C-alpha cells in the first residue's frame, strides 16, 4: 500500500485534536519511486542555536503521534521507544512533545525513551489547553492561569522522568490571561530550576514583544512549510529582530509535501484536511504544482520530496529548526537525511523563483482551528 491508498482508506483522529500540530501522517508509507544517495542517511552532525544559548540538532523529532496515529492506530510502544533512541544515536538532540498529545501519554513515552541519555538532549513540551490534570479529560478552551501552569509543570516533570524542562511553550495564547502573568509564572519556575527556557506557539506579534520584554523568549513554534509560508510576513522577521529561534511544526505540510496527496485522494471521515480549502477539489490541482516542483528538484539532487522540503526550511535561516514527526523508522532516517541536502546560492534563488510562481490557493486550517492562532493576550490591568 502506498501513501495515496492509505489516505483513501484511513482517517485521522477526531477533528478536535487537529488544533494541535500534526505531521507524522506526512510519511505514512515510503514512496516506491524515491532514489536516495547513501549519504542522505548519515547521522546528523550540524547544530543550531535557538535564542541566545540553547544548542540543538539542526532537525528535531516530533513525537506527537507515538501514542495514537491520526488513523487512530496505537503504534507499538517498543518500536516508538526504538525510534526515539535511534534518533538520538543518529544525532537528534531536540525532542518535541506536549501535555495535550495523548493527553499526557506522549510525554510518558518520551520520558521512557530518553531516560538513559536525558542529560544529553533538549526536551521541549507545551502547556495551555484546558485539560483536567487528574483525568486527562479535555475541557473547553484554554487555560494559562499562573496557578494552573505550575500544576501542569509538576505533572510534566513526572511523566518526562526529569527534574527540568529545557524549553516550555505556551501552546496557544490564552485570550483571558495577560501574557505578563504567564511569563511571571514561568519566571518563578525558572528560579526553581524546573524550566530552563520558554517559548510561544502561534502567538500574536504584540504578545511576543510584551513577553520578550519581561524575559527573553528562546523560540517561537508555528506552522511553516513550503505549503504555508505565513510566518515570513511578520513572525520570522520579528524573531530575527529579537534574536528568537524558530521551530516549524508540520514542516512537511500534513503529508502534502511528500507526495501523499493527489487529485484522486479521498479524505476519510474525521480527517480535518477534508475541511481545509487548500485541499479542496477546486484548489488541489493548482497546489499540486509544488509537489511536482519537489519531485523535479529531488531528481536533480538525488533526494526525496520530504528531504527537499526540509532542506529548504534549513536554508531560510540558521536559527530555524524543523521538528518533523513520524512513527516509522525509515521516515525518521529520511527526515534527518535532509541535513545533507544543500542548496547553493544560485540553486536556492532558482528554487524560490519557481516556488513564487505557484500561489497556494485556499486556507491552511478550518476557521474554528485558525481562531486559536495569532491571538493577542489581554492587557494587564493596573490595580
Amino acid at each position: 500500500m502506498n501513501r495515496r491508498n492509505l489516505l483513501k482508506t484511513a482517517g485521522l483522529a477526531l477533528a478536535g485534536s487537529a488544533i494541535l500540530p500534526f505531521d507524522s501522517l506526512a510519511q505514512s508509507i515510503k514512496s516506491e519511486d524515491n532514489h536516495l544517495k547513501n549519504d542522505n542517511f548519515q547521522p546528523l552532525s550540524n547544530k543550531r542555536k535557538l535564542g541566545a544559548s540553547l544548542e540543538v540538532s539542526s532537525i528535531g523529532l516530533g513525537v506527537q503521534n507515538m501514542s495514537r496515529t491520526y488513523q487512530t492506530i496505537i503504534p507499538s510502544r517498543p518500536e516508538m521507544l526504538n525510534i526515539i533512541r535511534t534518533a538520538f544515536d543518529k544525532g537528534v538532540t531536540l525532542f518535541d512533545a506536549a501535555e495535550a498529545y495523548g493527553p499526557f501519554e506522549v510525554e510518558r513515552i518520551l520520558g521512557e525513551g530518553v531516560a538513559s541519555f536525558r542529560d544529553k538532549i533538549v526536551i521541549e513540551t507545551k502547556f495551555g489547553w484546558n485539560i483536567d490534570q487528574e483525568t486527562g479529560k479535555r475541557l473547553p478552551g484554554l487555560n494559562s492561569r499562573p496557578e494552573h501552569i505550575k500544576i501542569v509543570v509538576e505533572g510534566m516533570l513526572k511523566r518526562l522522568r526529569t527534574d527540568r524542562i529545557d524549553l516550555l511553550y505556551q501552546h496557544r495564547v490564552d485570550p483571558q490571561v495577560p501574557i505578563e502573568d504567564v511569563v511571571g509564572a514561568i519566571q518563578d519556575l525558572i528560579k526553581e530550576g524546573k524550566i530552563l527556557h520558554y517559548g510561544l506557539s502561534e502567538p500574536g506579534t504584540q504578545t511576543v514583544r510584551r513577553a520578550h520584554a519581561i524575559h527573553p523568549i528562546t523560540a517561537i513554534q508555528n506552522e511553516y512549510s513550503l505549503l504555508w509560508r505565513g510566518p515570513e510576513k511578520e513572525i520570522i522577521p520579528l524573531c530575527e529582530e529579537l534574536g528568537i529561534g524558530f521551530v516549524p511544526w508540520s514542516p512537511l505540510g500534513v503529508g502534502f509535501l511528500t507526495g501523499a496527496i493527489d487529485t484522486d485522494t479521498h479524505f476519510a471521515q474525521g480527517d480535518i484536511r477534508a475541511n481545509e480549502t487548500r485541499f479542496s477539489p477546486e484548489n488541489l490541482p493548482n497546489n499540486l504544482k509544488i509537489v511536482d516542483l519537489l519531485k523535479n528538484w529531488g531528481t536533480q539532487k538525488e533526494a526525496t520530496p520530504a528531504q527537499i522540503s526540509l532542506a529548504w526550511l534549513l536554508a531560510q535561516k540558521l536559527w530555524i529548526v524543523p521538528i518533523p514527526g513520524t512513527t516509522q523508522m525509515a521516515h525518521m532516517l529520511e527526515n534527518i537525511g535532509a541535513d545533507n541536502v544543500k542548496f547553493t546560492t544560485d540553486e536556492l534563488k532558482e528554487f524560490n523563483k519557481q516556488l513564487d510562481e505557484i500561489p497556494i490557493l485556499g486556507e491552511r486550517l478550518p476557521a474554528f482551528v485558525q481562531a486559536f492562532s495569532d491571538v493577542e493576550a489581554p492587557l494587564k490591568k493596573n490595580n
Side-chain angles (χ1 to χ4, degrees):
M1 178 183 289
N2 59 28
R3 288 182 179 130
R4 184 185 309 167
N5 290 333
L6 181 74
L7 286 167
K8 291 178 181 177
T9 58
L12 297 182
L14 296 177
S17 67
I19 48 183
L20 311 173
F22 45 84
D23 199 50
S24 81
L25 187 61
Q27 299 176 81
S28 301
I29 297 293
K30 182 77 174 175
S31 289
E32 295 126 353
D33 57 354
N34 286 326
H35 301 287
L36 301 175
K37 293 191 299 182
N38 289 333
D39 61 2
N40 281 353
F41 286 103
Q42 295 301 308
L44 277 172
S45 58
N46 293 322
K47 303 291 184 181
R48 294 196 166 197
K49 190 174 290 185
L50 298 176
S53 61
L54 187 59
E55 187 177 79
V56 298
S57 54
S58 56
I59 297 174
L61 176 64
V63 298
Q64 177 189 353
N65 286 335
M66 289 190 173
S67 67
R68 185 183 69 171
T69 70
Y70 293 112
Q71 299 94 319
T72 72
I73 297 167
I74 298 176
S76 161
R77 191 183 187 100
E79 180 58 13
M80 298 306 98
L81 300 176
N82 188 25
I83 291 172
I84 289 170
R85 292 163 182 162
T86 303
F88 171 72
D89 290 340
K90 296 295 184 180
V92 174
T93 63
L94 178 64
F95 294 83
D96 180 83
E99 64 157 346
Y101 303 160
F104 302 158
E105 190 59 24
V106 162
E107 289 180 329
R108 295 189 183 103
I109 293 170
L110 181 57
E112 181 178 353
V114 304
S116 63
F117 47 86
R118 167 64 188 99
D119 293 338
K120 298 179 181 179
I121 63 165
V122 169
I123 291 176
E124 59 177 29
T125 191
K126 310 179 230 13
F127 72 90
W129 295 104
N130 194 13
I131 299 172
D132 187 294
Q133 295 300 296
E134 297 297 326
T135 66
K137 181 180 179 181
R138 298 178 186 272
L139 303 174
L142 301 164
N143 190 344
S144 282
R145 290 179 291 108
E147 61 273 21
H148 181 73
I149 294 172
K150 294 178 180 181
I151 293 171
V152 167
V153 167
E154 292 302 323
M156 288 174 165
L157 294 173
K158 292 177 181 177
R159 293 188 292 270
L160 291 167
R161 304 186 185 188
T162 186
D163 60 353
R164 82 280 184 194
I165 296 166
D166 300 291
L167 176 53
L168 179 71
Y169 294 95
Q170 184 184 33
H171 211 153
R172 293 294 186 275
V173 172
D174 191 331
Q176 304 300 320
V177 181
I179 197 63
E180 292 79 6
D181 292 346
V182 173
V183 178
I186 290 173
Q187 284 181 310
D188 290 342
L189 291 163
I190 289 174
K191 290 176 183 176
E192 295 173 13
K194 296 175 180 178
I195 302 299
L196 302 186
H197 304 268
Y198 85 105
L200 304 175
S201 181
E202 298 278 333
T205 56
Q206 293 308 308
T207 296
V208 173
R209 291 188 180 278
R210 288 161 55 195
H212 192 72
I214 302 168
H215 190 99
I217 296 172
T218 294
I220 299 294
Q221 188 174 128
N222 274 38
E223 181 179 3
Y224 182 45
S225 71
L226 289 165
L227 185 62
W228 170 247
R229 297 170 62 186
E232 294 175 355
K233 295 179 181 178
E234 293 186 313
I235 286 293
I236 290 178
L238 182 59
C239 286
E240 187 157 37
E241 174 192 342
L242 300 178
I244 299 171
F246 188 81
V247 177
W249 64 262
S250 200
L252 296 176
V254 206
F256 184 80
L257 299 174
T258 69
I261 297 172
D262 65 16
T263 54
D264 294 327
T265 299
H266 299 285
F267 297 109
Q269 184 176 4
D271 190 329
I272 191 174
R273 292 170 302 178
N275 297 315
E276 294 179 10
T277 55
R278 59 185 175 180
F279 300 131
S280 65
E282 59 270 23
N283 291 330
L284 190 55
N286 172 83
N287 296 343
L288 280 167
K289 294 174 184 177
I290 281 191
V291 177
D292 293 335
L293 175 67
L294 291 169
K295 289 178 178 178
N296 290 338
W297 278 84
T299 298
Q300 176 181 332
K301 302 191 76 65
E302 299 184 75
T304 68
Q307 289 177 331
I308 296 294
S309 299
L310 294 171
W312 178 85
L313 283 172
L314 293 172
Q316 300 311 298
K317 301 290 181 182
L318 293 175
W319 34 267
I320 289 179
V321 181
I323 48 169
T326 186
T327 59
Q328 302 288 327
M329 180 71 77
H331 302 147
M332 182 274 291
L333 295 171
E334 177 185 347
N335 290 338
I336 66 175
D339 191 53
N340 295 305
V341 179
K342 307 297 182 183
F343 290 95
T344 66
T345 300
D346 288 342
E347 285 175 339
L348 188 61
K349 183 178 180 180
E350 178 59 27
F351 184 94
N352 286 335
K353 178 183 177 182
Q354 295 176 25
L355 178 65
D356 289 340
E357 294 172 353
I358 307 172
I360 299 300
L361 304 181
E363 301 298 325
R364 68 166 176 141
L365 294 168
F368 79 94
V369 179
Q370 184 62 43
F372 289 100
S373 295
D374 306 317
V375 172
E376 302 289 1
L379 297 174
K380 186 173 178 63
K381 296 179 180 180
N382 294 322
N383 294 327

